Amino acid sequence: MRETIAQLRQRIMDGEWPVGGRIPTEPRLVEALGVGRNTVREAVRALAHAGVLECRQGSGTYVLSTDELAPVVARRLTDDRMTEVIEVRRAFEVEAARLAARRRTPGDLAALDDALAAREAAWRGGRVTEFVEADAALHTAVVAAAHNAMLAELYASVGAAMRSTVAHAMGGELTPDRHVDHARLVAAIRAGDPELAAREAGAFLEPPPGA
């Protein structure tokens, strides 16, 4: 199994499966690596335990980090430290939006459009869990458009905490007063306006009053 873990880790390090991206399904990994299902399953589980991968029920397995930083961060950014989580998100997402406005490619813009559409569809359907995942996917797409590998890796390490803040804000129900329009953020990135993009990114990441 060690060899399989090493192969998976190498593909992640080589960028074949980027941080924030989904790795191939188990059958595809079995075929690609030439090992059995149990070996693949145990290798993926080991990398998930190490904080390199994250298994999301009903969605797949995603690259969380290229090293073992993620679990360290996850232990620090928990629900009872919500204000700190929001502050960390703001630090990452504001700069990511600024860089994305300068560096986005046509492919990035297409990914942002798709992610925004999925987020809005989940909202309209009242599907809380799907919305939380779609919201996280949109913010991850913004970070990816910044084209800064280190930023993407650090941001991915706070992924679980990020989804926790969104779920906490929704309160288990999608109501009109909780909706935050991200279309202006995507539009600012498309327009190539770094400062407007940064303002839009930071506008919905204010710590709770009195924090």
Side-chain angles (χ1 to χ4, degrees):
M1 187 179 71
R2 289 183 180 178
E3 184 178 342
T4 302
I5 292 174
Q7 286 181 290
L8 293 175
R9 189 185 293 275
Q10 189 60 52
R11 292 187 181 215
I12 293 169
M13 293 295 293
D14 290 345
E16 182 175 341
W17 305 324
V19 171
R22 184 168 57 186
I23 70 171
T25 60
E26 187 176 284
R28 288 180 178 272
L29 289 175
V30 167
E31 181 180 355
L33 302 176
V35 296
R37 278 180 176 268
N38 287 339
T39 300
V40 167
R41 192 171 297 133
E42 289 301 317
V44 168
R45 188 175 300 160
L47 289 176
H49 181 72
V52 175
L53 297 176
E54 180 182 44
C55 301
R56 303 177 192 171
Q57 188 172 3
S59 181
T61 300
Y62 292 77
V63 179
L64 190 63
S65 176
T66 56
D67 57 30
E68 298 181 10
L69 174 65
V72 176
V73 174
R75 284 194 294 270
R76 298 285 294 175
L77 301 180
T78 54
D79 287 352
D80 60 348
R81 307 180 75 166
M82 197 61 60
T83 299
E84 292 185 14
V85 174
I86 293 172
E87 289 173 349
V88 169
R89 283 191 61 192
R90 184 181 175 88
F92 285 147
E93 293 182 23
V94 169
E95 184 60 23
R98 182 180 286 112
L99 292 173
R102 293 174 179 152
R103 301 173 178 175
R104 79 284 186 272
T105 66
D108 293 327
L109 293 174
L112 287 168
D113 288 339
D114 288 346
L116 181 62
R119 180 181 184 273
E120 293 306 304
W123 179 273
R124 289 193 300 271
R127 301 182 294 274
V128 179
T129 301
E130 184 179 329
F131 175 79
V132 170
E133 290 296 331
D135 185 77
L138 174 59
H139 290 292
T140 299
V142 172
V143 174
H147 294 278
N148 182 309
M150 183 174 292
L151 176 60
E153 183 174 334
L154 290 170
Y155 187 73
S157 72
V158 302
M162 175 182 68
R163 287 189 291 279
S164 180
T165 64
V166 176
H168 184 270
M170 292 303 103
E173 185 179 1
L174 303 180
T175 57
D177 60 299
R178 295 190 175 106
H179 184 262
V180 177
D181 182 14
H182 285 357
R184 291 191 300 271
L185 170 59
V186 174
I189 292 172
R190 171 173 280 104
D193 190 329
E195 296 313 311
L196 179 57
R199 285 198 301 274
E200 289 293 340
F204 51 86
L205 287 171
E206 295 293 340

